[in-house]
Protein backbone atom coordinates (compact mmCIF):
# COMPACT_ATOMS: atom_id res chain seq x y z
CA UNK A 1 0.00 0.00 0.00
CA UNK A 2 1.42 3.42 -0.92
CA UNK A 3 1.89 6.08 1.70
CA UNK A 4 -0.99 8.57 1.91
CA UNK A 5 -0.13 12.25 2.22
CA UNK A 6 -2.46 14.54 4.12
CA UNK A 7 -2.93 18.29 3.94
CA UNK A 8 -4.62 18.68 7.34
CA UNK A 9 -3.40 17.24 10.65
CA UNK A 10 -5.06 13.86 11.12
CA UNK A 11 -6.22 14.28 14.67
CA UNK A 12 -9.36 14.72 16.73
CA UNK A 13 -9.40 18.10 18.48
CA UNK A 14 -12.39 19.67 20.18
CA UNK A 15 -11.90 23.36 20.94
CA UNK A 16 -15.50 24.50 21.56
CA UNK A 17 -18.74 22.93 22.68
CA UNK A 18 -20.42 21.13 19.78
CA UNK A 19 -22.03 22.71 17.86
CA UNK A 20 -19.88 25.76 18.53
CA UNK A 21 -20.93 29.43 18.29
CA UNK A 22 -20.10 29.83 14.59
CA UNK A 23 -22.07 26.70 13.67
CA UNK A 24 -25.00 27.84 15.81
CA UNK A 25 -25.00 31.26 14.12
CA UNK A 26 -25.00 29.65 10.67
CA UNK A 27 -27.76 27.33 11.75
CA UNK A 28 -29.96 30.25 12.80
CA UNK A 29 -29.49 31.79 9.32
CA UNK A 30 -30.21 28.43 7.72
CA UNK A 31 -33.50 27.98 9.62
CA UNK A 32 -34.73 31.27 8.17
CA UNK A 33 -33.96 30.38 4.58
CA UNK A 34 -33.39 26.67 3.89
CA UNK A 35 -36.54 24.52 3.75
CA UNK A 36 -37.17 22.41 6.85
CA UNK A 37 -37.55 19.28 4.70
CA UNK A 38 -33.80 19.11 4.21
CA UNK A 39 -32.36 17.48 7.29
CA UNK A 40 -28.75 17.40 8.50
CA UNK A 41 -27.68 14.64 10.83
CA UNK A 42 -24.63 16.50 12.16
CA UNK A 43 -25.26 20.05 13.47
CA UNK A 44 -21.80 21.47 12.72
CA UNK A 45 -20.93 23.44 9.59
CA UNK A 46 -17.95 22.33 7.53
CA UNK A 47 -14.97 24.56 6.77
CA UNK A 48 -12.38 22.08 5.53
CA UNK A 49 -11.90 18.34 5.13
CA UNK A 50 -9.04 16.03 4.21
CA UNK A 51 -8.22 12.38 4.70
CA UNK A 52 -10.14 11.20 7.74
CA UNK A 53 -10.91 14.59 9.29
CA UNK A 54 -13.49 17.31 8.85
CA UNK A 55 -12.77 20.72 10.39
CA UNK A 56 -15.81 22.79 11.32
CA UNK A 57 -16.28 26.56 11.26
CA UNK A 58 -15.34 26.77 14.95
CA UNK A 59 -12.01 25.03 14.36
CA UNK A 60 -13.01 21.64 15.77
CA UNK A 61 -11.33 18.73 14.01
CA UNK A 62 -13.73 15.80 13.82
CA UNK A 63 -13.08 12.22 12.73
CA UNK A 64 -15.23 11.56 9.72
CA UNK A 65 -16.80 8.11 9.76
CA UNK A 66 -19.46 9.13 7.25
CA UNK A 67 -17.65 10.36 4.10
CA UNK A 68 -20.74 12.41 3.24
CA UNK A 69 -22.61 9.07 3.02
CA UNK A 70 -19.92 6.97 1.33
CA UNK A 71 -18.91 9.61 -1.21
CA UNK A 72 -15.46 10.90 -0.33
CA UNK A 73 -13.72 7.53 -0.42
CA UNK A 74 -10.49 9.16 -1.65
CA UNK A 75 -10.90 11.94 0.91
CA UNK A 76 -12.78 15.21 0.51
CA UNK A 77 -9.85 17.09 -1.03
CA UNK A 78 -7.67 14.52 -2.74
CA UNK A 79 -4.79 16.43 -4.39
CA UNK A 80 -5.18 14.64 -7.73
CA UNK A 81 -8.92 15.29 -7.83
CA UNK A 82 -8.43 18.97 -6.91
CA UNK A 83 -5.80 19.38 -9.63
CA UNK A 84 -7.91 17.63 -12.29
CA UNK A 85 -10.86 19.88 -11.43
CA UNK A 86 -8.73 23.05 -11.58
CA UNK A 87 -7.32 22.00 -14.95
CA UNK A 88 -10.74 21.24 -16.44
CA UNK A 89 -12.38 24.42 -15.12
CA UNK A 90 -9.69 26.43 -16.89
CA UNK A 91 -10.80 25.00 -20.24
CA UNK A 92 -14.55 24.44 -20.23
CA UNK A 93 -17.08 23.88 -17.47
CA UNK A 94 -19.88 22.58 -19.68
CA UNK A 95 -20.87 22.07 -23.27
CA UNK A 96 -23.60 19.45 -22.73
CA UNK A 97 -22.51 16.05 -24.02
CA UNK A 98 -25.76 15.90 -26.02
CA UNK A 99 -24.68 19.05 -27.89
CA UNK A 100 -20.89 18.96 -28.18
CA UNK A 101 -19.28 15.79 -26.82
CA UNK A 102 -15.84 15.64 -25.17
CA UNK A 103 -13.22 13.02 -24.39
CA UNK A 104 -13.59 12.97 -20.57
CA UNK A 105 -17.05 11.36 -20.82
CA UNK A 106 -15.74 8.72 -23.23
CA UNK A 107 -12.77 7.98 -20.98
CA UNK A 108 -14.99 7.54 -17.92
CA UNK A 109 -17.16 5.12 -19.92
CA UNK A 110 -14.03 3.20 -20.97
CA UNK A 111 -12.91 2.98 -17.33
CA UNK A 112 -16.32 1.80 -16.15
CA UNK A 113 -16.41 -0.90 -18.83
CA UNK A 114 -13.08 -2.15 -17.55
CA UNK A 115 -13.85 -1.86 -13.81
CA UNK A 116 -17.36 -3.34 -13.66
CA UNK A 117 -17.80 -7.12 -13.41
CA UNK A 118 -17.95 -9.25 -16.56
CA UNK A 119 -15.95 -9.16 -19.79
CA UNK A 120 -18.96 -8.85 -22.09
CA UNK A 121 -19.52 -5.90 -24.42
CA UNK A 122 -20.75 -2.97 -22.30
CA UNK A 123 -22.19 0.51 -22.71
CA UNK A 124 -22.33 3.39 -20.23
CA UNK A 125 -24.47 6.49 -19.69
CA UNK A 126 -23.53 9.21 -17.19
CA UNK A 127 -25.93 11.19 -14.99
CA UNK A 128 -25.78 13.38 -11.88
CA UNK A 129 -27.30 11.51 -8.95
CA UNK A 130 -27.81 7.97 -7.75
CA UNK A 131 -31.57 8.25 -8.14
CA UNK A 132 -31.17 9.37 -11.74
CA UNK A 133 -28.97 6.35 -12.48
CA UNK A 134 -31.58 4.03 -10.95
CA UNK A 135 -34.41 5.67 -12.94
CA UNK A 136 -32.48 5.19 -16.16
CA UNK A 137 -31.53 1.58 -15.42
CA UNK A 138 -35.26 0.88 -15.07
CA UNK A 139 -36.05 2.78 -18.29
CA UNK A 140 -33.54 0.65 -20.19
CA UNK A 141 -34.80 -2.60 -18.65
CA UNK A 142 -38.42 -1.82 -19.54
CA UNK A 143 -37.65 -0.78 -23.09
CA UNK A 144 -35.32 -3.71 -23.72
CA UNK A 145 -37.72 -6.35 -22.35
CA UNK A 146 -41.05 -4.80 -23.33
CA UNK A 147 -42.23 -5.65 -19.79
CA UNK A 148 -43.44 -3.40 -16.96
CA UNK A 149 -42.95 -4.99 -13.54
CA UNK A 150 -39.97 -4.12 -11.37
CA UNK A 151 -39.03 -6.19 -8.32
CA UNK A 152 -37.53 -4.33 -5.35
CA UNK A 153 -36.84 -5.58 -1.84
CA UNK A 154 -37.73 -5.06 1.79
CA UNK A 155 -35.39 -2.48 3.38
CA UNK A 156 -34.36 -1.16 -0.06
CA UNK A 157 -33.30 2.42 -0.64
CA UNK A 158 -33.02 3.73 -4.19
CA UNK A 159 -33.67 7.48 -3.94
CA UNK A 160 -36.14 10.32 -3.56
CA UNK A 161 -37.52 10.91 -7.08
CA UNK A 162 -40.98 9.57 -7.87
CA UNK A 163 -39.94 6.20 -9.30
CA UNK A 164 -37.14 5.71 -6.79
CA UNK A 165 -39.48 6.56 -3.89
CA UNK A 166 -41.69 3.76 -5.16
CA UNK A 167 -38.66 1.44 -5.16
CA UNK A 168 -37.62 2.55 -1.67
CA UNK A 169 -39.10 0.53 1.20
CA UNK A 170 -39.20 2.93 4.13
CA UNK A 171 -42.16 5.32 4.37
CA UNK A 172 -40.91 7.83 6.95
CA UNK A 173 -39.13 10.09 6.07
CA UNK A 174 -38.79 9.15 2.40
CA UNK A 175 -42.34 8.54 1.15
CA UNK A 176 -44.98 9.63 3.65
CA UNK A 177 -47.49 11.97 1.96
CA UNK A 178 -45.40 12.23 -1.24
CA UNK A 179 -47.53 9.83 -3.30
CA UNK A 180 -49.04 8.65 -5.53
CA UNK A 181 -46.06 6.57 -6.51
CA UNK A 182 -45.00 5.06 -9.81
CA UNK A 183 -46.90 1.84 -10.57
CA UNK A 184 -45.69 -1.69 -11.32
CA UNK A 185 -43.21 -1.87 -8.46
CA UNK A 186 -43.42 -5.08 -6.39
CA UNK A 187 -41.72 -5.55 -3.04
CA UNK A 188 -40.24 -8.92 -2.17
CA UNK A 189 -38.53 -10.42 0.89
CA UNK A 190 -34.84 -9.73 1.35
CA UNK A 191 -32.33 -12.08 2.96
CA UNK A 192 -31.58 -10.54 6.38
CA UNK A 193 -29.59 -13.20 8.24
CA UNK A 194 -29.86 -11.51 11.66
CA UNK A 195 -33.67 -11.32 11.48
CA UNK A 196 -34.54 -14.30 9.25
CA UNK A 197 -35.49 -17.61 10.83
CA UNK A 198 -32.35 -19.35 12.09
CA UNK A 199 -30.64 -21.59 9.57
CA UNK A 200 -32.34 -20.14 6.46
CA UNK A 201 -29.69 -20.31 3.72
CA UNK A 202 -29.23 -17.68 1.04
CA UNK A 203 -30.49 -20.09 -1.58
CA UNK A 204 -33.61 -20.90 0.46
CA UNK A 205 -34.26 -17.19 1.02
CA UNK A 206 -33.93 -16.62 -2.74
CA UNK A 207 -36.33 -19.51 -3.50
CA UNK A 208 -38.86 -17.93 -1.10
CA UNK A 209 -38.57 -14.67 -3.03
CA UNK A 210 -38.68 -16.34 -6.45
CA UNK A 211 -41.85 -18.26 -5.54
CA UNK A 212 -43.53 -15.00 -4.59
CA UNK A 213 -42.39 -13.31 -7.81
CA UNK A 214 -43.77 -16.18 -9.89
CA UNK A 215 -47.08 -16.32 -7.98
CA UNK A 216 -47.71 -12.61 -7.56
CA UNK A 217 -46.34 -11.16 -10.81
CA UNK A 218 -45.41 -13.96 -13.21
CA UNK A 219 -41.87 -14.24 -14.53
CA UNK A 220 -42.94 -13.15 -18.03
CA UNK A 221 -44.13 -9.79 -16.74
CA UNK A 222 -40.96 -8.87 -14.88
CA UNK A 223 -38.65 -6.37 -16.60
CA UNK A 224 -36.05 -6.17 -13.84
CA UNK A 225 -34.97 -7.10 -10.38
CA UNK A 226 -33.18 -4.22 -8.67
CA UNK A 227 -31.16 -4.96 -5.57
CA UNK A 228 -28.39 -3.43 -3.47
CA UNK A 229 -25.81 -6.23 -3.08
CA UNK A 230 -25.27 -4.89 0.44
CA UNK A 231 -28.19 -2.70 1.45
CA UNK A 232 -27.24 0.81 2.54
CA UNK A 233 -29.89 3.01 4.15
CA UNK A 234 -31.95 -0.08 5.06
CA UNK A 235 -29.31 -1.20 7.55
CA UNK A 236 -26.11 -2.47 5.89
CA UNK A 237 -27.82 -5.79 5.40
CA UNK A 238 -25.52 -8.39 3.89
CA UNK A 239 -27.64 -11.14 2.33
CA UNK A 240 -26.77 -14.74 3.18
CA UNK A 241 -24.28 -16.32 0.76
CA UNK A 242 -26.13 -17.77 -2.22
CA UNK A 243 -28.99 -15.26 -2.19
CA UNK A 244 -27.64 -12.97 -4.92
CA UNK A 245 -26.30 -15.70 -7.23
CA UNK A 246 -29.59 -17.64 -7.03
CA UNK A 247 -31.63 -14.55 -7.90
CA UNK A 248 -29.24 -13.61 -10.70
CA UNK A 249 -29.42 -17.11 -12.19
CA UNK A 250 -33.23 -17.07 -12.07
CA UNK A 251 -33.25 -13.65 -13.73
CA UNK A 252 -31.05 -14.93 -16.53
CA UNK A 253 -33.22 -18.00 -17.11
CA UNK A 254 -36.32 -15.83 -17.32
CA UNK A 255 -35.13 -12.91 -19.44
CA UNK A 256 -35.30 -10.56 -16.43
CA UNK A 257 -32.73 -7.76 -16.26
CA UNK A 258 -30.67 -8.04 -13.05
CA UNK A 259 -29.77 -4.54 -11.86
CA UNK A 260 -27.23 -4.19 -9.05
CA UNK A 261 -27.67 -0.82 -7.35
CA UNK A 262 -24.09 -0.21 -6.20
CA UNK A 263 -24.58 3.50 -5.57
CA UNK A 264 -23.51 3.02 -1.94
CA UNK A 265 -21.65 -0.32 -1.98
CA UNK A 266 -19.60 0.33 -5.13
CA UNK A 267 -16.25 1.89 -5.91
CA UNK A 268 -13.83 0.05 -3.64
CA UNK A 269 -16.03 0.55 -0.56
CA UNK A 270 -16.43 -3.13 0.31
CA UNK A 271 -12.93 -4.34 -0.50
CA UNK A 272 -13.57 -5.06 -4.18
CA UNK A 273 -14.46 -2.52 -6.85
CA UNK A 274 -18.08 -3.66 -6.57
CA UNK A 275 -19.82 -5.62 -3.81
CA UNK A 276 -21.43 -8.10 -6.21
CA UNK A 277 -17.96 -9.40 -7.14
CA UNK A 278 -17.77 -11.10 -3.74
CA UNK A 279 -19.98 -13.94 -5.00
CA UNK A 280 -19.03 -13.66 -8.67
CA UNK A 281 -22.36 -12.09 -9.64
CA UNK A 282 -22.27 -10.28 -13.00
CA UNK A 283 -25.20 -7.85 -13.19
CA UNK A 284 -26.85 -6.98 -16.52
CA UNK A 285 -26.81 -3.32 -15.45
CA UNK A 286 -24.95 -1.75 -12.55
CA UNK A 287 -25.75 1.67 -11.09
CA UNK A 288 -22.95 3.75 -9.58
CA UNK A 289 -22.58 7.18 -7.98
CA UNK A 290 -21.28 8.09 -4.53
CA UNK A 291 -17.58 7.09 -4.55
CA UNK A 292 -17.10 7.66 -8.25
CA UNK A 293 -15.86 11.25 -8.52
CA UNK A 294 -14.26 12.28 -5.23
CA UNK A 295 -17.35 14.24 -4.18
CA UNK A 296 -18.39 15.79 -7.47
CA UNK A 297 -21.89 14.93 -8.62
CA UNK A 298 -21.63 12.10 -11.11
CA UNK A 299 -23.51 8.85 -11.53
CA UNK A 300 -23.53 6.13 -14.14
CA UNK A 301 -25.17 3.04 -15.48
CA UNK A 302 -22.99 0.45 -17.16
CA UNK A 303 -24.54 -2.62 -18.65
CA UNK A 304 -24.86 -5.12 -21.46
CA UNK A 305 -24.42 -3.43 -24.82
CA UNK A 306 -27.36 -5.36 -26.30
CA UNK A 307 -29.68 -3.88 -23.64
CA UNK A 308 -28.41 -0.30 -23.58
CA UNK A 309 -28.07 0.04 -27.35
CA UNK A 310 -31.73 -0.88 -27.82
CA UNK A 311 -32.65 2.62 -26.68
CA UNK A 312 -33.20 5.12 -29.52
CA UNK A 313 -30.88 8.18 -29.72
CA UNK A 314 -32.19 10.93 -27.45
CA UNK A 315 -33.95 8.49 -25.12
CA UNK A 316 -31.26 8.75 -22.46
CA UNK A 317 -29.30 11.75 -21.19
CA UNK A 318 -29.82 15.11 -19.51
CA UNK A 319 -28.33 18.61 -19.64
CA UNK A 320 -25.69 18.06 -16.97
CA UNK A 321 -25.16 14.28 -17.14
CA UNK A 322 -21.44 13.51 -17.35
CA UNK A 323 -20.41 17.11 -16.72
CA UNK A 324 -16.77 17.57 -17.85
CA UNK A 325 -15.53 18.69 -14.41
CA UNK A 326 -17.18 15.69 -12.76
CA UNK A 327 -15.64 13.42 -15.42
CA UNK A 328 -12.17 14.88 -14.80
CA UNK A 329 -12.69 14.30 -11.08
CA UNK A 330 -13.82 10.71 -11.71
CA UNK A 331 -10.74 9.91 -13.79
CA UNK A 332 -8.49 11.32 -11.05
CA UNK A 333 -10.47 9.43 -8.40
CA UNK A 334 -10.05 6.14 -10.23
CA UNK A 335 -6.31 6.82 -10.61
CA UNK A 336 -6.01 7.52 -6.88
CA UNK A 337 -8.01 4.41 -6.01
CA UNK A 338 -5.67 2.31 -8.14
CA UNK A 339 -2.46 4.02 -6.96
CA UNK A 340 -3.35 3.61 -3.28
CA UNK A 341 -5.03 0.24 -3.84
CA UNK A 342 -8.11 1.43 -1.97
CA UNK A 343 -9.96 -1.91 -2.28
CA UNK A 344 -7.13 -3.40 -0.18
CA UNK A 345 -7.35 -0.45 2.18
CA UNK A 346 -11.09 -1.16 2.64
CA UNK A 347 -10.26 -4.76 3.59
CA UNK A 348 -7.68 -3.50 6.05
CA UNK A 349 -10.27 -1.17 7.63
CA UNK A 350 -12.63 -4.15 7.95
CA UNK A 351 -9.98 -6.15 9.76
CA UNK A 352 -9.22 -3.32 12.18
CA UNK A 353 -12.80 -2.33 12.92
CA UNK A 354 -14.50 -5.73 12.88
CA UNK A 355 -12.07 -7.26 15.35
CA UNK A 356 -12.70 -4.53 17.86
CA UNK A 357 -16.46 -4.27 17.29
CA UNK A 358 -16.93 -8.03 17.55
CA UNK A 359 -15.02 -8.01 20.84
CA UNK A 360 -17.25 -5.17 22.02
CA UNK A 361 -20.38 -7.12 21.00
CA UNK A 362 -19.23 -10.07 23.08
CA UNK A 363 -19.34 -7.82 26.17
CA UNK A 364 -22.40 -5.70 25.41
CA UNK A 365 -25.76 -7.51 25.21
CA UNK A 366 -27.35 -4.45 23.55
CA UNK A 367 -25.37 -5.19 20.41
CA UNK A 368 -27.46 -7.65 18.41
CA UNK A 369 -25.23 -7.87 15.37
CA UNK A 370 -21.99 -6.54 13.90
CA UNK A 371 -21.78 -6.97 10.15
CA UNK A 372 -20.62 -5.53 6.87
CA UNK A 373 -17.78 -5.82 4.45
CA UNK A 374 -14.74 -3.67 3.82
CA UNK A 375 -15.31 -0.12 5.02
CA UNK A 376 -19.12 -0.55 5.12
CA UNK A 377 -19.66 -1.72 8.68
CA UNK A 378 -22.72 -1.71 10.93
CA UNK A 379 -23.59 -2.25 14.56
CA UNK A 380 -27.24 -3.17 15.20
CA UNK A 381 -28.58 -2.25 18.66
CA UNK A 382 -31.38 -4.19 20.36
CA UNK A 383 -32.97 -4.49 23.79
CA UNK A 384 -30.72 -6.97 25.62
CA UNK A 385 -31.83 -10.57 25.34
CA UNK A 386 -34.21 -9.83 22.43
CA UNK A 387 -34.03 -8.76 18.78
CA UNK A 388 -36.26 -5.76 19.50
CA UNK A 389 -34.64 -2.72 17.84
CA UNK A 390 -33.28 -0.01 20.15
CA UNK A 391 -33.42 3.22 18.17
CA UNK A 392 -33.06 5.37 21.30
CA UNK A 393 -29.72 3.83 22.23
CA UNK A 394 -28.57 4.21 18.62
CA UNK A 395 -29.39 7.92 18.68
CA UNK A 396 -27.60 8.32 21.99
CA UNK A 397 -24.47 6.59 20.68
CA UNK A 398 -24.23 8.78 17.58
CA UNK A 399 -25.01 11.99 19.55
CA UNK A 400 -22.37 11.20 22.17
CA UNK A 401 -19.87 10.28 19.47
CA UNK A 402 -20.31 13.74 17.98
CA UNK A 403 -19.80 15.37 21.39
CA UNK A 404 -16.44 13.65 21.44
CA UNK A 405 -15.55 14.57 17.89
CA UNK A 406 -16.60 11.53 15.86
CA UNK A 407 -19.10 11.80 13.02
CA UNK A 408 -21.10 8.57 13.20
CA UNK A 409 -24.17 8.06 10.99
CA UNK A 410 -27.19 5.90 11.71
CA UNK A 411 -29.44 3.93 9.37
CA UNK A 412 -31.85 1.01 9.22
CA UNK A 413 -35.54 0.38 8.72
CA UNK A 414 -35.90 0.50 12.51
CA UNK A 415 -33.35 3.30 13.03
CA UNK A 416 -31.29 1.05 15.29
CA UNK A 417 -28.04 0.82 13.39
CA UNK A 418 -24.87 2.88 13.48
CA UNK A 419 -22.84 2.63 10.32
CA UNK A 420 -19.16 3.18 9.74
CA UNK A 421 -18.32 4.57 6.31
CA UNK A 422 -14.90 6.19 6.76
CA UNK A 423 -12.99 7.64 3.83
CA UNK A 424 -10.83 4.77 2.60
CA UNK A 425 -7.77 6.97 3.10
CA UNK A 426 -8.31 7.29 6.85
CA UNK A 427 -5.13 6.43 8.79
CA UNK A 428 -4.98 3.53 11.25
CA UNK A 429 -4.29 5.77 14.23
CA UNK A 430 -7.26 8.02 13.56
CA UNK A 431 -9.56 5.06 12.97
CA UNK A 432 -8.35 3.43 16.20
CA UNK A 433 -9.05 6.64 18.08
CA UNK A 434 -12.60 6.72 16.68
CA UNK A 435 -13.14 3.08 17.61
CA UNK A 436 -11.97 3.78 21.18
CA UNK A 437 -14.50 6.61 21.42
CA UNK A 438 -17.26 4.32 20.17
CA UNK A 439 -16.26 1.51 22.56
CA UNK A 440 -16.31 3.83 25.59
CA UNK A 441 -19.66 5.33 24.65
CA UNK A 442 -21.32 2.00 23.95
CA UNK A 443 -20.05 0.44 27.18
CA UNK A 444 -21.36 3.41 29.18
CA UNK A 445 -24.63 4.04 27.32
CA UNK A 446 -25.69 0.42 27.07
N1 LIG B 1 -29.26 3.91 -4.36
C1 LIG B 1 -28.60 3.64 -3.22
C2 LIG B 1 -28.22 2.24 -2.92
C3 LIG B 1 -28.27 4.68 -2.34
O1 LIG B 1 -27.62 4.41 -1.19
C4 LIG B 1 -28.63 6.00 -2.68
C5 LIG B 1 -28.28 7.17 -1.79
N2 LIG B 1 -28.19 6.93 -0.44
C6 LIG B 1 -29.32 6.22 -3.88
C7 LIG B 1 -29.61 5.15 -4.70
C8 LIG B 1 -29.74 7.60 -4.30
O2 LIG B 1 -28.64 8.37 -4.60
P1 LIG B 1 -28.75 9.99 -4.68
O3 LIG B 1 -28.98 10.45 -3.28
O4 LIG B 1 -27.46 10.42 -5.25
O5 LIG B 1 -29.90 10.26 -5.58
Amino acid sequence: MSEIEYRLPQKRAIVTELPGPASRALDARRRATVAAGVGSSVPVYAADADGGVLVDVDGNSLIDLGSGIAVTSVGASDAAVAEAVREQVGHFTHTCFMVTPYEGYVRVAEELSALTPGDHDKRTVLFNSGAEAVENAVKVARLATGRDAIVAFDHAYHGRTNLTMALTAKSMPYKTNFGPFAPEVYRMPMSYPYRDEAGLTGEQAARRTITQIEKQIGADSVAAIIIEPIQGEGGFIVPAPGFLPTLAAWAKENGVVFIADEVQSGFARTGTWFACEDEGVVPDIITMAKGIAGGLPLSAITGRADLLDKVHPGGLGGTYGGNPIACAAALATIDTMRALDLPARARHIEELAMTRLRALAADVPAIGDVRGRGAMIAVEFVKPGTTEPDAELTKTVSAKALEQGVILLTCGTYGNIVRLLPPLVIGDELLSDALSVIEDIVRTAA
Side-chain angles (χ1 to χ4, degrees):
M1 247 170 275
S2 315
E3 230 7 75
I4 298 166
E5 281 173 29
Y6 302 107
R7 184 175 52 82
L8 295 177
Q10 297 295 295
K11 62 175 189 357
R12 179 168 62 100
I14 305 305
V15 296
T16 68
E17 66 204 308
L18 285 172
S23 277
R24 289 202 304 273
L26 274 170
D27 211 55
R29 283 169 53 198
R30 171 215 177 122
R31 301 284 154 211
T33 190
V34 178
V38 187
S40 295
S41 41
V42 181
V44 305
Y45 282 70
D48 206 347
D50 175 50
V53 298
L54 184 146
V55 177
D56 76 3
V57 287
D58 292 287
N60 298 293
S61 178
L62 311 172
I63 305 179
D64 180 12
L65 296 188
S67 305
I69 322 188
V71 170
T72 53
S73 300
V74 295
S77 55
D78 177 61
V81 171
E83 184 49 39
V85 166
R86 269 192 294 271
E87 173 64 22
Q88 181 58 45
V89 171
H91 291 284
F92 58 94
T93 56
H94 175 84
T95 61
C96 186
F97 193 76
M98 300 186 306
V99 178
T100 320
Y102 38 88
E103 186 185 358
Y105 191 120
V106 179
R107 281 183 57 201
V108 170
E110 287 167 349
E111 288 284 15
L112 297 183
S113 281
L115 288 173
T116 51
D119 50 15
H120 51 282
D121 199 14
K122 295 172 194 162
R123 297 290 184 269
T124 287
V125 191
L126 302 180
F127 304 99
N128 305 289
S129 68
E132 216 186 337
V134 168
E135 291 255 357
N136 280 280
V138 170
K139 278 169 66 172
V140 170
R142 283 182 167 151
L143 181 142
T145 59
R147 303 171 179 178
D148 292 336
I150 307 295
V151 169
F153 288 83
D154 287 334
H155 312 289
Y157 183 86
H158 297 289
R160 285 182 156 95
T161 59
N162 188 262
L163 172 60
T164 59
M165 274 194 294
L167 294 168
T168 291
K170 192 172 176 176
S171 55
M172 197 61 186
Y174 307 124
K175 302 170 74 165
T176 302
N177 296 334
F178 290 137
F181 303 111
E184 285 305 306
V185 170
Y186 298 83
R187 191 158 315 285
M188 291 293 154
M190 179 63 185
S191 161
Y192 190 164
Y194 176 63
R195 293 190 176 276
D196 282 340
E197 65 205 74
L200 187 76
T201 67
E203 191 178 336
Q204 288 165 341
R207 291 283 153 219
R208 171 181 71 180
T209 296
I210 288 165
T211 303
Q212 288 199 27
I213 296 173
E214 288 175 341
K215 296 295 167 210
Q216 293 182 24
I217 317 167
D220 290 351
S221 300
V222 180
I225 288 178
I226 180 160
I227 189 161
E228 300 152 83
I230 296 179
Q231 288 183 319
E233 305 305 309
F236 281 29
I237 300 165
V238 186
F243 185 71
L244 295 172
T246 306
L247 284 179
W250 177 86
K252 192 172 190 159
E253 280 159 26
N254 290 279
V256 172
V257 177
F258 188 86
I259 303 170
D261 181 355
E262 295 247 18
V263 164
Q264 189 154 167
S265 59
F267 268 87
R269 175 59 50 188
T270 64
T272 45
W273 281 92
F274 296 96
C276 59
E277 288 172 54
D278 191 64
E279 290 191 86
V281 169
V282 177
D284 297 311
I285 300 176
I286 185 161
T287 62
M288 297 158 268
K290 294 181 183 289
I292 195 173
L296 274 85
L298 186 73
S299 67
I301 63 172
T302 296
R304 278 169 38 202
D306 61 314
L307 297 176
L308 272 96
D309 277 347
K310 276 213 173 90
V311 180
H312 47 275
L316 303 172
T319 305
Y320 294 111
N323 168 273
I325 305 165
C327 285
L331 293 168
T333 298
I334 293 167
D335 282 350
T336 295
M337 285 184 164
R338 282 202 184 102
L340 298 176
D341 194 357
L342 290 190
R345 206 37 233 161
R347 295 193 294 275
H348 176 72
I349 290 170
E350 173 181 342
E351 221 174 273
L352 261 181
M354 280 293 194
T355 313
R356 290 182 59 173
L357 293 171
R358 291 224 160 99
L360 182 67
D363 291 348
V364 177
I367 297 181
D369 196 23
V370 174
R371 59 172 174 265
R373 198 185 299 144
M376 187 170 182
I377 296 169
V379 179
E380 174 153 6
F381 289 103
V382 292
K383 304 274 193 272
T386 73
T387 56
E388 196 189 323
D390 194 341
E392 272 316 301
L393 175 60
T394 309
K395 257 192 241 153
T396 305
V397 169
S398 82
K400 291 212 174 296
L402 179 68
E403 277 171 23
Q404 299 197 34
V406 177
I407 295 174
L408 187 59
L409 306 180
T410 62
C411 67
T413 298
Y414 314 109
N416 66 324
I417 289 157
V418 297
R419 53 171 155 176
L420 276 61
L421 283 169
L424 303 179
V425 293
I426 193 170
D428 287 3
E429 222 174 288
L430 201 64
L431 180 61
S432 292
D433 183 28
L435 289 166
S436 299
V437 168
I438 294 169
E439 285 165 352
D440 284 351
I441 290 169
V442 171
R443 279 182 206 281
T444 312

